[in-house]
DNA sequence: ATACTGCTACCGAACGATCGGTCGGTGCAA
DNA sequence: TTGCACCGACCGATCGTTCGGTAGCAGTAT
């Protein structure tokens, strides 16, 4: 009833029939290329609002063919969420997130989290919208909470070291910080510049700055100017 | 399969059979008292993830009885969203939102928006999660965009008057501000103190401050310290 | 008092449609 | 000739909604 779509495309969707290269993109779907289609539709219609029929139309293959690549709808959800979580947790392992003054580590994590969110936008968006209806979703929420708590500890530590203003509760500050960061998923669109969806504004250019590093810088500046002491 | 619930309760859910008082809370459901149950379930499971069976179980009446009070599932959504929008738009009509320096009006709107969000939490939460699958949802998104744009204009005006820092784009600043405000719906719980759901922290007391005015104050302080000049 | 009427708030059963998922294939390249 | 990518037809379950009731009560005529 609505938007159709051609076959995979992926990174340069050429038929790779020249020479037999098993690791290279094929003309048919792989679990991963199908996932990217599915996640896009999940984000457009919501996971519960997306039927396998919707997915098959968007992927350009029949409903039953989807089951050739993945076990079912919930596996697509799990795979998509996993990818987001992997990216986020990797940030915490980076050296600048583990060494130095807490407020500096917090700033690094903030900046990198924004960058990962924008780089893996559809997957992180999917993660952020999970409601907890199934076991998969409960697992996702639990993992996400784990990540949030790791950051919350950084905030507390930075506050204890006197680098964050003391008139705003550390937990509340963490929540507001995440609110800012996560809201990026509501309006940022990698191409075009953002057609909107959440916070105001018409659809003309957004000040020209739209690389992930630039947005990350603006978030860090805005948030930390509000949070830092003096 | 899960949580049951008794009848209405409402504001002091007594049988009002003494004397015949047409405007007073009855022992049975009204469209509004049913709405409050429905909106709660919508927020727990997501609108698409909520079946009429879920609603009937939560309300303690049969599925078919729901149709005695409302036209159907989508009317419940529309009513819930309307209530949220009414509260938000009313803020823009308040005198301090219409008179004075732009940055002061912006600050007032921010504070009051936070307060309305917390006072009408379930309804605003419902509004914030709409995806745009049906005509009702598209209407909700359009109205919400309208509200956001009104605030965005305030931000631009305040920036033009030199009261907001110039190194962060006005549109981006608006989006980050809304991100902060709207994220409250992810963790604030009117009773108990917030069991979490989004940003970090364990479930012990959140520094004691949890009245809507206090949270609003913290948001305004954090956001505006980051946004304001000097 | 009793019987009848009309109305409100509810119910169980069932509707066609759609849900996620299964099955037995088919065409085609290696 | 094997196996991969795909298909249409179909499964039981569940979806939102409709339908024909019915118990209980207020008002009224008897």
């Amino acid at each position: 009833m609505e938007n159709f779509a051609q076959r995979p495309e992926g990174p340069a969707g050429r038929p790779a029939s020249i020479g037999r290269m098993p690791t290279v993109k094929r003309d048919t779907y792989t679990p991963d290329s199908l996932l990217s289609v599915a996640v896009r539709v999940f984000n457009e219609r919501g996971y519960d609002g997306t039927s396998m029929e919707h997915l098959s139309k968007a992927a350009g293959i029949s409903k039953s063919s989807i089951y050739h690549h993945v076990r079912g709808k919930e596996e697509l959800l799990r795979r998509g969420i996993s990818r987001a979580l992997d990216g986020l947790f990797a940030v915490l392992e980076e050296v600048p997130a583990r060494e130095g003054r807490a407020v500096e580590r917090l700033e690094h994590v903030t900046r990198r989290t924004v960058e990962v969110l924008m780089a893996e936008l559809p997957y992180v968006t999917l993660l952020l919208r999970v409601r907890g209806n199934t076991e998969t979703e409960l697992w996702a929420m639990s993992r996400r909470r784990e990540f949030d708590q790791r950051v919350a500890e950084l905030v507390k530590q930075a506050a204890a070291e006197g680098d964050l203003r003391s008139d705003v509760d550390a937990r509340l500050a963490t929540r507001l910080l995440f609110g800012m960061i996560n809201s990026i998923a509501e309006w940022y669109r990698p191409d075009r510049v953002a057609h909107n969806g959440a916070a105001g504004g018409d659809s003309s250019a957004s000040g020209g700055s739209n690389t992930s590093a630039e947005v990350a810088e603006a978030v860090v500046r805005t948030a930390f100017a509000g949070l830092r002491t003096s």
Side-chain angles (χ1 to χ4, degrees), chain A:
Chain A
M1 287 249 182
E2 39 214 46
N3 60 341
F4 267 72
Q6 310 85 322
R7 291 313 177 73
E9 342 176 20
R14 291 294 89 198
S17 31
I18 0 134
R20 187 76 168 106
M21 305 163 78
T23 58
V24 142
K25 195 81 187 153
R26 301 232 276 112
D27 196 17
T28 58
Y29 276 111
T30 64
D32 270 1
S33 67
L34 185 58
L35 177 65
S36 77
V37 173
V39 169
R40 201 195 67 231
V41 183
F42 285 161
N43 286 332
E44 283 168 7
R45 317 184 55 98
Y47 176 73
D48 284 318
T50 302
S51 70
M52 295 305 278
E53 193 71 34
H54 290 136
L55 292 185
S56 84
K57 289 277 190 291
I61 60 176
S62 77
K63 209 171 51 141
S64 53
S65 296
I66 295 175
Y67 291 87
H68 179 71
H69 301 286
V70 293
R71 281 181 176 281
K73 194 186 176 187
E74 197 159 358
E75 176 169 320
L76 287 167
L77 179 65
R78 192 175 45 71
R79 278 176 185 257
I81 287 170
S82 280
R83 177 153 164 179
L85 287 167
D86 289 349
L88 292 175
F89 274 98
V91 168
L92 299 178
E93 302 307 316
E94 293 170 1
V95 175
R98 292 187 290 113
E99 293 174 6
R101 207 165 170 78
V103 70
E104 304 290 347
R105 284 186 282 148
L106 177 62
E107 196 171 313
H108 175 81
V109 168
T110 301
R111 194 188 320 273
R112 290 285 298 126
T113 296
V114 172
E115 286 170 6
V116 167
L117 184 148
M118 296 173 85
E120 304 285 332
L121 188 71
Y123 305 94
V124 178
T125 302
L126 190 62
L127 169 66
L128 292 176
R129 293 192 182 147
V130 149
R131 295 307 316 152
N133 292 341
T134 65
E135 284 221 2
T136 299
E137 300 190 26
L138 288 172
W139 159 81
M141 287 172 73
S142 148
R143 290 279 289 160
R144 183 180 159 201
R145 235 186 328 262
E146 201 182 311
F147 178 81
D148 291 347
Q149 284 190 34
R150 295 275 293 274
V151 179
E153 277 159 30
L154 276 184
V155 172
K156 274 171 207 153
Q157 213 174 323
E161 291 173 6
D163 289 326
L164 294 188
R165 56 191 303 166
S166 56
D167 60 344
V168 171
D169 179 66
R171 197 178 343 265
L172 179 55
T174 307
R175 283 168 168 152
L176 295 178
L177 178 61
F178 270 109
M180 233 173 177
I181 294 173
N182 293 341
S183 74
I184 295 172
E186 306 263 311
W187 51 264
Y188 179 74
R189 296 295 171 270
D191 41 56
R192 288 256 159 239
V193 155
H195 68 83
N196 196 356
D202 49 81
S203 50
S204 61
S206 175
S209 78
N210 265 99
T211 72
S212 70
E214 282 167 335
V215 173
E217 188 52 38
V219 170
V220 170
R221 220 182 298 153
T222 310
F224 279 76
L227 292 174
R228 257 193 148 111
T229 46
S230 80

